[in-house]
Amino acid sequence: MSTRSRHEARWTHAEATASGRLPRNAWWMLPLLLGLALLALYGGYRVYMGIDTVTYEVRQCEESLTEQSSWDEVQAAACDPVPAAPVTMALMQGMDRIEPDDVSGSVLTWDAWPVNSPEHSVDLELQDPAQTVVIAEPEAQRVRVELTSDASETMWGGFIGGRGPTSYWVLITPAG
């Protein structure tokens, strides 16, 4: 009686018996592949959305600024850092209101913020009325957006947009 390998056809020899190992059961590969796929999706999401720490520094200006103000006008407005404690600020991601993770001096910080998301806006509440509030990008040296207020000029808000820097200034010009 002769033997045949498993890859040989059955009709090779009528009395041949198959030799060799049976195919292995690789069930353990499925959880491994699923874990790797989830890890790749999570890493891709963090890179695509630009997950990073975002800071907003609160500054009080001597002159009012608008969205069309140049960086020279921002510098001339004498905007100095002020404590952020009297300011209640939240970033809105769609309809979700997200409070800062840390408030230190004049800086409000949000950790793990999706910088590249296109649905960001700012909700700002002041103790005293303000004449204007603008959001500026100090790294790009430009004013990004002018916020709009309610009738009391203590509640301010506006759309920031996505794909911005990770450092902003909130430039507040007090009323009066």
Side-chain angles (χ1 to χ4, degrees):
M1 180 185 289
S2 65
T3 61
R4 64 180 170 84
S5 295
R6 290 204 176 273
H7 69 276
E8 292 181 291
R10 199 175 274 282
W11 47 264
T12 339
H13 191 274
E15 296 178 7
T17 57
S19 65
R21 296 194 306 177
L22 292 173
R24 293 184 189 184
N25 189 358
W27 63 268
W28 57 272
M29 287 294 286
L30 291 176
L32 179 66
L33 289 174
L34 180 63
L36 289 173
L38 289 174
L39 183 65
L41 284 172
Y42 177 71
Y45 171 80
R46 287 189 64 89
V47 169
Y48 178 74
M49 293 303 284
I51 304 296
D52 205 348
T53 300
V54 175
T55 61
Y56 283 78
E57 183 178 14
V58 179
R59 292 174 164 250
Q60 185 170 330
C61 301
E62 299 297 322
E63 298 176 27
S64 52
L65 299 165
T66 65
E67 194 169 331
Q68 288 76 30
S69 297
S70 68
W71 193 251
D72 291 332
E73 291 172 322
V74 170
Q75 297 294 349
C79 301
D80 295 322
V82 294
V87 174
T88 303
M89 184 173 170
L91 295 182
M92 305 292 288
Q93 187 174 14
M95 295 300 293
D96 298 329
R97 180 182 172 87
I98 302 170
E99 301 292 330
D101 295 315
D102 184 40
V103 178
S104 176
S106 64
V107 178
L108 300 135
T109 304
W110 283 263
D111 297 325
W113 185 255
V115 176
N116 293 339
S117 176
E119 56 182 5
H120 297 155
S121 58
V122 172
D123 186 25
L124 184 68
E125 184 177 344
L126 306 173
Q127 288 182 347
D128 299 320
Q131 186 176 358
T132 62
V133 177
V134 297
I135 305 293
E137 299 176 12
E139 295 166 3
Q141 297 186 345
R142 73 179 186 105
V143 174
R144 185 168 180 115
V145 68
E146 182 177 0
L147 303 182
T148 56
S149 72
D150 64 350
S152 67
E153 295 183 336
T154 58
M155 301 286 292
W156 294 80
F159 179 70
I160 299 296
R163 300 195 187 274
T166 57
S167 177
Y168 294 94
W169 286 353
V170 180
L171 306 175
I172 302 170
T173 306

